Amino acid sequence: MIRRQGARCAVLFATTAISLGLSTAAHAQARTQAPAPEPGLDEGYEVDELVVTAARDVVPRGSVVGEAQPEMTFDQREIRALGVSSVAELLTALEPQLASGRGRAGGRPIMLVNGQRISSFREIRDLPPEAIVRLEILPEEVALRYGYRADQRVVNFVLRRRFRAITAEAGVKLPTAGGQAAYDATLDGLVIRDDARQQVDLKASLQTPLLESERNVVRTPDETAFRTLLPRQESLSLNGVYARPLGEGVAATLNGSLEWTDSTGRLGLNAGTRDALRRLTDTDTAHLGGTVNGARSGWRWSLTGNADWTDTQTTTEVAYDPVAGVWRAPNTSRSTVTSADVQGLVNGTLVTLPAGGVNAGFTVAAGTQRVEGESFRSGVVRDTDLDRQTVTAQANLDVPLASRKRGGIGGIGDLSVNVNANVENYSDFGTLWTLGGGLTWSPIEPVRLIASITDEDGAPSIQQLGDPETVTPNVRVFDFTTGQTVEVTQVSGGNPGLSADNRRVVKLGLTLKPFDETDFVIRADYTRTRTEDEIASFPAATPQVEAAFPDRFVRDAAGRLVQVDVRPVNFARHDEQQLRWGFNYSRPLKNTRPPPFAPQWPQGAPGGPPPEGGPPGEGGAGGGGFGGPGGGFARRNFAGGNLQFAVFHTWRIEDEVLIRPGVPVLDLLDGAALSQGGGTSRHQVDVQTGVSRNGLGARLNGRWQEGTTVNGGPSGESLRFSDLTTFDLRLFADLGLQPMAREHPWMRGARVTLAVDNIFDEVRDVRDAGGTVPLSYQPDLIDPQGRTIRLSFRKLFLPRLAAPPPETRRPAA
């Protein structure tokens, strides 16, 4: 394995070096072929107290299709104040602002770049935050205009016109309780020039194993030195993006990635060797995606395609059989998943009404997926060969009825309605429909109201339908009927008898921006969902669940639970209601000291920056993107700090499940549970606060979740799950903006970050009616890592800003 990983490292580093060299050469050639833009032409760039923005009636560059207004907008200063290193980290930091109650299982929001579709998240996940001019968060309904379903919020990233940098970062993460370490390193190169973009990103990580013996885990017999709470894991990934304009308003993007992950876990003592039984998993992933966006005669069109391949091999060692006196062959499995899809979207103005244009969007898509596998368990070979093709068509219509600016129905503000329909045909499951509609009303400019309804059919995945039956011994579960922690034989796999489910979602949303000159946004969303024939994982072993599915449980003569069949099932009905509301406040802070490095152009020189810190614009002059690491870059891009505070409260009003007709309804907010983790918390509060100034920043995020109780019934055992409050702290310092950087030029573009997750080392406390902690709910089993500390160093290498050619210089003052 070591030799294999070494070969992978050599290939990845060689490929990265060549790609970075080609990107730099291509950028240098572009600079010689095209003159640099005149400074000051781009909008919305901050220079100390001077902010140049687009006029109110002018649509900002990179805005989304139509007239949808963002619920929240984060500018460059606010993004910098988060102290993150990539778009992936940025989305994690904004999780409370991005949450939605409409999706089937949460998940990542829908991503756009400069108001246009992308093929997948891989296209932008590695972008450094310095390359982003503005981030917009929009409601779920905007997704319909881009051919998606309205079940996740939309995030639009507007990138700089000019950017060029190489980023290197390394970090180490350690639990304060010891016993484990995680190391990671990243090398990234990015060039942006208008619609052209090249990026190569290489990541490597290593996580050492965490043994049960390194925590306070009680097990009988004591095999804690031969069992891992977290496996050893190694990973390598290479991701590349190439985008360029093709002429006449058409631009294309190509994205490819390779990822390798190896993990090794320990499953207990092998009596025959006095060593640990091991489980080795090797996963290889390849992705190729592309997007072509264009416009013609007032209509925008987009074509996206993706192809993915994942190969997973697992080897599980089997203990020596002392009864038969033989060594059993290890259990092995291999699964290969291959998928491909293509989607076309056309969006534009169908007709024009007095209140504005009627926006129409039409989408057609096709996809294929195949799962092939082979497993060897206990001397039995099982093969898997699953296949599915899908064809999709979707139509969306936005009709403006009233407008404060244009007309229509007078005196009521801005009012528009939406209707949408989606039909999907599954080769193995038939035809399913989705119908929806909504209304958006803004009676006055600071207030926006949204009401929508969706009726959606959903099919089970091909894995849920056809995965082979798998038997896993010695799986630890808590039996709520007897109040005991037991080790059972678990049967898993697919269930060919699953039915399609149907979801009806009603949403009422309010966005309020009460102050013109203050960045203060209040948002509230009420959602009500009813799902019939819900497709779900098999729930926890409670008396109510056992009564509904008696054939899924096997007990011995003494009533001890010995086997559970956890293949997916359909619940008869699931009703949910929740209200999520909160606010986000942000204000700029002026730095109290100048940057330590003087700009590279003399103050007031022709073509150089004025005394207040440089000309406005996203990339400045010279075609090189940012200025030098300590010159124009520092003065123009770190001109100010930011103060931010946000609070969001989620109130789950209803969460009830009817498993089967004729059995009691399970109230997950009051005594029932569908998982070993307990019921549903009725209340959750997320708090964010952060401040940055003079290149120093701090962020504190907190989350409180209300405790729950699981009632075991008249003859069962009840459990109490305590409240859980966690805080995460992030401290960062941009070394190039500190006074000591004058004597240490290497600090230019460098940043040090210290992150402490779960500061107070909190873990949910679970106890039975007698106050005892069940063995399966030991704190170190629930949260093996506990409090962790991560220290990282990041270096941004930026080209020095050369003076622009004479024809592009500004006249002297």
Side-chain angles (χ1 to χ4, degrees), residues 440-624:
T440 302
W441 179 36
S442 175
I444 57 176
E445 190 165 341
V447 178
R448 187 180 303 112
L449 299 165
I450 294 178
S452 66
I453 184 170
T454 302
D455 189 294
E456 171 195 351
D457 294 332
S461 68
I462 59 175
Q463 290 90 344
Q464 289 174 322
L465 287 171
D467 270 354
E469 181 179 301
T470 302
V471 178
T472 305
N474 303 322
V475 177
R476 179 177 281 184
V477 300
F478 183 79
D479 183 3
F480 286 90
T481 300
T482 63
Q484 298 177 341
T485 297
V486 293
E487 292 186 348
V488 302
T489 299
Q490 180 176 280
V491 180
S492 60
N495 180 1
L498 291 175
S499 304
D501 65 20
N502 175 264
R503 297 175 73 246
R504 291 187 294 275
V505 182
V506 176
K507 172 195 169 181
L508 300 175
L510 166 67
T511 301
L512 177 63
K513 300 180 180 180
F515 310 114
D516 289 337
E517 304 299 327
T518 303
D519 189 357
F520 179 72
V521 181
I522 300 173
R523 199 179 75 200
D525 292 319
Y526 167 80
T527 55
R528 179 173 183 174
T529 305
R530 164 163 284 195
T531 307
E532 296 180 347
D533 294 324
E534 181 182 43
I535 304 166
S537 301
F538 196 75
T542 63
Q544 301 94 329
V545 172
E546 189 170 356
F549 298 98
D551 56 325
R552 294 295 190 100
F553 297 85
V554 177
R555 296 182 180 274
D556 60 18
R560 180 182 177 87
L561 186 64
V562 294
Q563 180 175 300
V564 179
D565 185 345
V566 298
R567 290 176 294 175
V569 295
N570 284 108
F571 294 154
R573 187 179 71 246
H574 192 172
D575 292 316
E576 300 171 275
Q577 292 186 68
Q578 77 169 34
L579 174 64
R580 193 171 191 278
W581 68 281
F583 68 87
N584 188 89
Y585 169 75
S586 178
R587 59 166 292 188
L589 299 176
K590 184 177 180 180
N591 283 349
T592 58
R593 61 172 182 252
F597 296 104
Q600 294 169 285
W601 288 337
Q603 294 289 346
E612 64 268 18
E618 293 177 10

Side-chain angles (χ1 to χ4, degrees), residues 21-146:
L22 291 176
S23 297
T24 304
H27 183 77
Q29 182 180 8
R31 289 185 60 183
T32 62
Q33 293 177 349
E38 183 176 351
L41 297 180
D42 298 333
E43 80 285 356
Y45 196 89
E46 180 196 28
V47 183
D48 283 349
E49 294 301 303
L50 173 64
V51 179
V52 180
T53 58
R56 181 179 297 271
D57 295 333
V58 177
V59 177
R61 182 181 70 87
S63 296
V64 299
V65 172
E67 299 185 357
Q69 297 298 315
E71 294 178 330
M72 296 181 186
T73 300
F74 293 81
D75 62 19
Q76 304 163 67
R77 179 184 56 250
E78 293 169 309
I79 294 173
R80 289 196 308 268
L82 297 175
V84 296
S85 300
S86 65
V87 164
E89 291 185 10
L90 176 60
L91 296 179
T92 300
L94 296 178
E95 179 185 353
Q97 288 87 343
L98 298 175
S100 172
R102 297 184 61 176
R104 284 182 174 267
R108 189 181 295 117
I110 292 164
M111 310 291 177
L112 306 174
V113 172
N114 295 333
Q116 296 182 332
R117 281 187 55 141
I118 59 176
S119 62
S120 72
F121 178 60
R122 290 179 176 88
E123 281 192 22
I124 62 170
R125 69 181 184 187
D126 302 317
L127 285 172
E130 292 87 352
I132 302 172
V133 172
R134 148 176 117 254
L135 180 151
E136 300 173 334
I137 300 176
L138 299 109
E140 297 92 333
E141 289 71 20
V142 175
L144 294 167
R145 304 180 184 181
Y146 289 89

Side-chain angles (χ1 to χ4, degrees), residues 122-466:
R122 290 179 176 88
E123 281 192 22
I124 62 170
R125 69 181 184 187
D126 302 317
L127 285 172
E130 292 87 352
I132 302 172
V133 172
R134 148 176 117 254
L135 180 151
E136 300 173 334
I137 300 176
L138 299 109
E140 297 92 333
E141 289 71 20
V142 175
L144 294 167
R145 304 180 184 181
Y146 289 89
Y148 300 101
R149 296 189 179 189
D151 58 1
Q152 296 296 333
R153 280 194 157 79
V154 177
V155 178
N156 182 33
F157 297 92
V158 181
L159 305 183
R160 294 181 179 275
R161 295 185 186 272
R162 302 286 191 273
F163 183 86
R164 180 161 58 124
I166 295 177
T167 307
E169 183 172 10
V172 58
K173 181 178 179 181
L174 303 169
T176 56
Q180 189 202 35
Y183 309 93
D184 61 87
T186 301
L187 179 63
D188 181 274
L190 173 64
V191 175
I192 300 176
R193 187 175 179 85
D194 294 327
D195 292 329
R197 172 164 48 104
Q198 299 92 41
Q199 184 177 18
V200 179
D201 185 272
L202 173 66
K203 288 184 172 64
S205 66
L206 168 65
Q207 173 184 286
T208 63
L210 179 61
L211 301 175
E212 288 186 353
S213 59
E214 295 172 311
R215 294 291 185 266
N216 297 319
V217 174
V218 177
R219 181 180 292 273
T220 304
D222 186 5
E223 298 181 355
T224 56
F226 303 94
R227 289 182 178 268
T228 50
L229 293 166
L230 297 172
R232 174 187 174 88
Q233 185 167 294
E234 306 169 33
S235 66
L236 289 169
S237 69
L238 176 65
N239 189 40
V241 179
Y242 180 79
R244 60 164 296 174
L246 302 180
E248 298 183 0
V250 179
T253 303
L254 184 65
N255 169 229
S257 66
L258 297 171
E259 298 180 12
W260 297 278
T261 302
D262 293 336
S263 69
T264 303
R266 300 184 181 186
L267 306 180
L269 176 65
N270 187 342
T273 63
R274 301 303 301 172
D275 196 2
L277 295 169
R278 297 181 302 163
R279 172 172 290 169
L280 299 91
T281 303
D282 185 355
T283 302
D284 299 338
T285 302
H287 168 80
L288 182 64
T291 308
V292 181
N293 289 291
R296 186 178 181 88
S297 302
W299 287 74
R300 294 187 179 186
W301 59 270
S302 175
L303 182 67
T304 61
N306 291 280
D308 292 275
W309 173 85
T310 301
D311 182 81
T312 303
Q313 301 180 54
T314 302
T315 300
T316 304
E317 297 177 344
V318 179
Y320 172 77
D321 189 341
V323 177
V326 297
W327 294 91
R328 301 293 185 184
N331 293 331
T332 61
S333 66
R334 178 169 186 170
S335 174
T336 302
V337 181
T338 307
S339 64
D341 64 81
V342 62
Q343 185 174 94
L345 165 70
V346 177
N347 189 295
T349 301
L350 198 61
V351 296
T352 301
L353 301 179
V358 176
N359 183 273
F362 304 97
T363 305
V364 292
T368 181
Q369 184 179 20
R370 185 171 185 178
V371 179
E372 300 173 280
E374 181 182 81
S375 64
F376 176 84
R377 297 180 184 276
S378 302
V380 179
V381 177
R382 295 183 176 89
D383 292 328
T384 302
D385 192 352
L386 308 173
D387 188 74
R388 169 181 286 177
Q389 287 78 43
T390 59
V391 178
T392 305
Q394 179 171 310
N396 177 68
L397 207 63
D398 290 299
V399 182
L401 301 180
S403 172
R404 285 189 293 269
K405 298 177 182 178
R406 297 184 179 90
I409 303 174
I412 64 172
D414 293 336
L415 179 66
S416 64
V417 296
N418 166 271
V419 291
N420 58 87
N422 177 287
V423 58
E424 291 182 282
N425 180 265
Y426 295 82
S427 60
D428 61 340
F429 212 77
T431 301
L432 303 178
W433 288 84
T434 297
L435 300 174
L439 179 146
T440 302
W441 179 36
S442 175
I444 57 176
E445 190 165 341
V447 178
R448 187 180 303 112
L449 299 165
I450 294 178
S452 66
I453 184 170
T454 302
D455 189 294
E456 171 195 351
D457 294 332
S461 68
I462 59 175
Q463 290 90 344
Q464 289 174 322
L465 287 171

